[in-house]
Structures are given as structure tokens and as C-alpha cells.
Amino acid sequence: QVQLVESGGGLVQAGGSLRLSCAASGSTFGITDMGWYRQAPGKQRELVATRSSGGTTNYADSVKGRFAISRDNAKNTVSLQMNSLKPEDTAVYYCYLRRYIYDSWGQGTQVTVSS
């Protein structure tokens, strides 16, 4: 079992910045991808950014150039620096990891961007 604990959500004005962090604990051997997804009200959960254990990153087109994902493989942590936030970035953000063939999710942290 893997547990994911997120922190760093909140309320920010458009154009502002937030940093999300996530730490994995428990059975962490074999983790490959770590990253973030988000879900806005009435919408499906969507990928925001992921980073493989080898450093390959994948970003949603809507956040490229504004968000940056970082990861510490030794500490099993992943962070998301979000700059130039827009109201459409408002969502619950979920930390994610893949370990072997299994996906694990955090409890979610709310990010609200006011216009």
C-alpha cells in the first residue's frame, strides 16, 4: 500500500502562483510515474503533468509554459509550481503515482483562482 499526502492548495488571484507538494509513503519501491491530475466541477479528471523516474515529463497543453513539475526520487516527493494562474485552473488537484501496474491517488487539494 502507498499513501499520498498533498499540501499547498488555496485561493489565489489570477496571475498569481501556488506550489503543490506531495509525499508518498508506505510501499514505495517500484514507483515509476508521479504527477498531478485535476478535476473541475462538472468535468472529467484530466492530466496536468507527470514525471517519470527517469525524468521524462508530460504536460497538458493548457499548462505548458506556466506549470513546472519536479520530483525527488530518493524522497518519493513530487511538486508542481504553478505560475500565471488563470480562473480556468480552478479545480481539485490530485497527486498521482504509478507503482508497477497500480495507480494511487491522493485525497485532493483545492486550488481556486479568482478573476
Side-chain angles (χ1 to χ4, degrees), residues 49-84:
T50 60
R51 189 177 181 102
S52 72
S53 55
T56 300
T57 57
N58 185 28
Y59 290 94
D61 288 343
S62 60
V63 307
K64 284 180 181 177
R66 300 188 297 122
F67 291 11
I69 189 170
S70 58
R71 177 176 170 177
D72 187 325
N73 291 337
K75 296 182 179 179
N76 296 307
T77 59
V78 64
S79 296
L80 185 69
Q81 178 65 41
M82 304 185 293
N83 300 324
S84 302

